[in-house]
Amino acid sequence: MKYCMAIGAVTSPTTPLLLGGDFTENMKTAQSLGFDAVEIHTPEPGALDIPAICKACRSLNISIATIGTGQIYGKYGLHLMDTCESNQKRLVDMVKEYIRIAAALGSRVTIGSIKGNVPKGGDREEHLGIMGRLLQEIDGYAEENGVIMLLEATNHFENNVLNTGAEVRDMIERNGLKNFRILMDTYHINLEERSLSTCLKDAGPWLGHIHFADNTRLYPGSGSFQFDLFCRSIQALSYDGVLSAECYPLPDGMTAAEKTIEFFHKQFGER
């Protein structure tokens, strides 16, 4: 397994990114703490200094696990169930840029909040059909570029579709998405899943990435989420993928990162 943490161009007390600022400097910090990888979150992937990030990956022996797309929903309001064709094209073009950047970095791309929401009174199946069609286009482009996409199960307060691992699995299988895997997040799991011991099984062979945050969205182990039970379920599946901290940078980012790596070592062992 790889231990990972989420970083961004900027962060805040209400943004689940541990460190904000220069990406290569934060990669150095992550590596010094014992992390094997980072997630990069930015609304402008084209502004990333790809040669510098690749050089840092080589020199630090650290990888880019995935690039998050969520900030384009917050910044531009674009989502995968928009009925406006010009907005659909704009969003897909943006995601394709993330895919091209991910191919250069050897990383994956996460789709979470850009799933959007079915509007009040809207036809749910019609909107899910729009999402499925756009995901198929994204999937084909990802396959051409050798990039795996991560489709996240998020809670119903943020997105009113694809809230559980089983629902994401259904979307992937129903639309024949070959290059998609499922991202599960303990913060969302706590709000949506009925069983901590079986929810990961619902993702089945598509499970590809796990986010860690406590029920308060602070660092894992700081709240009341039943991590002992959940971590045993990970080990029972013989999961060998990424375990990533995506939590609020509180009481500050460094403390949250240090507490998280301690948590990973306790639950899954040191390197």
Side-chain angles (χ1 to χ4, degrees), residues 218-258:
L218 300 181
Y219 61 83
S222 63
S224 62
F225 188 86
Q226 298 179 56
F227 276 111
D228 287 344
L229 176 60
F230 182 73
C231 292
R232 285 199 299 271
S233 75
I234 294 174
Q235 293 162 333
L237 287 174
S238 299
Y239 174 78
D240 194 34
V242 174
L243 308 177
S244 184
E246 192 192 62
C247 56
Y248 293 148
L250 298 172
D252 58 79
M254 280 296 294
T255 299
E258 290 167 351

Side-chain angles (χ1 to χ4, degrees), residues 1-2 42 50 75-76 116-117 130 138 150 227 231 234:
M1 288 185 283
K2 284 188 175 182
T42 175
I50 303 303
K75 184 171 183 177
Y76 302 108
N117 289 281
I130 293 171
I138 290 167
L150 298 171
F227 276 111
C231 292
I234 294 174

Side-chain angles (χ1 to χ4, degrees), residues 43-242:
E44 306 291 348
L48 293 174
D49 188 340
I50 303 303
I53 292 174
C54 288
K55 181 179 179 180
C57 286
R58 292 190 298 270
S59 64
L60 297 169
N61 192 28
I62 194 170
S63 62
I64 310 302
T66 188
I67 308 174
T69 61
Q71 292 185 12
I72 63 176
Y73 182 58
K75 184 171 183 177
Y76 302 108
L78 298 171
H79 60 89
L80 289 163
M81 292 189 293
D82 199 318
T83 56
C84 173
E85 292 186 2
S86 62
N87 285 346
Q88 293 172 13
K89 183 179 185 305
R90 186 181 176 201
L91 175 61
V92 169
D93 286 345
M94 283 186 174
V95 174
K96 286 180 177 179
E97 182 179 19
Y98 277 85
I99 291 171
R100 291 191 292 272
I101 300 296
L105 294 175
S107 79
R108 298 180 172 191
V109 175
T110 299
I111 289 179
S113 59
I114 63 168
K115 292 181 299 183
N117 289 281
V118 177
K120 186 176 182 179
D123 185 309
R124 187 176 183 84
E125 289 307 311
E126 177 187 355
H127 283 81
L128 285 173
I130 293 171
M131 179 189 290
R133 176 173 55 79
L134 297 182
L135 289 178
Q136 287 174 338
E137 182 178 352
I138 290 167
D139 184 57
Y141 193 78
E143 185 175 16
E144 291 174 8
N145 286 272
V147 172
I148 295 295
M149 307 295 295
L150 298 171
L151 186 56
E152 184 174 12
T154 51
N155 75 77
H156 68 279
F157 296 107
E158 297 183 25
N159 300 103
N160 60 15
V161 295
L162 307 190
N163 306 126
T164 67
E167 290 169 349
V168 179
R169 178 177 181 171
D170 179 66
M171 173 62 75
I172 289 173
E173 293 180 346
R174 181 155 34 100
N175 290 282
L177 306 177
K178 298 178 182 178
N179 272 51
F180 271 79
R181 301 294 182 268
I182 298 173
L183 191 161
M184 298 292 286
D185 184 312
T186 58
Y187 176 72
H188 303 300
I189 286 169
N190 184 63
L191 294 167
E192 300 294 337
E193 300 285 355
R194 295 185 178 183
S195 170
L196 295 184
S197 60
T198 63
C199 64
L200 295 181
K201 291 182 181 178
D202 292 338
W206 305 107
L207 180 63
H209 196 101
I210 304 174
H211 276 164
F212 282 76
D214 221 306
N215 66 300
T216 56
R217 215 166 196 175
L218 300 181
Y219 61 83
S222 63
S224 62
F225 188 86
Q226 298 179 56
F227 276 111
D228 287 344
L229 176 60
F230 182 73
C231 292
R232 285 199 299 271
S233 75
I234 294 174
Q235 293 162 333
L237 287 174
S238 299
Y239 174 78
D240 194 34
V242 174

Side-chain angles (χ1 to χ4, degrees), residues 6-40:
I7 61 176
V10 295
T11 189
S12 76
T14 57
T15 303
L17 304 174
L18 281 79
L19 299 176
D22 183 82
F23 287 113
T24 57
E25 288 302 314
N26 286 333
M27 289 166 66
K28 292 177 185 176
T29 300
Q31 189 270 347
S32 71
L33 292 172
F35 289 93
D36 309 296
V38 296
E39 299 184 14
I40 286 179

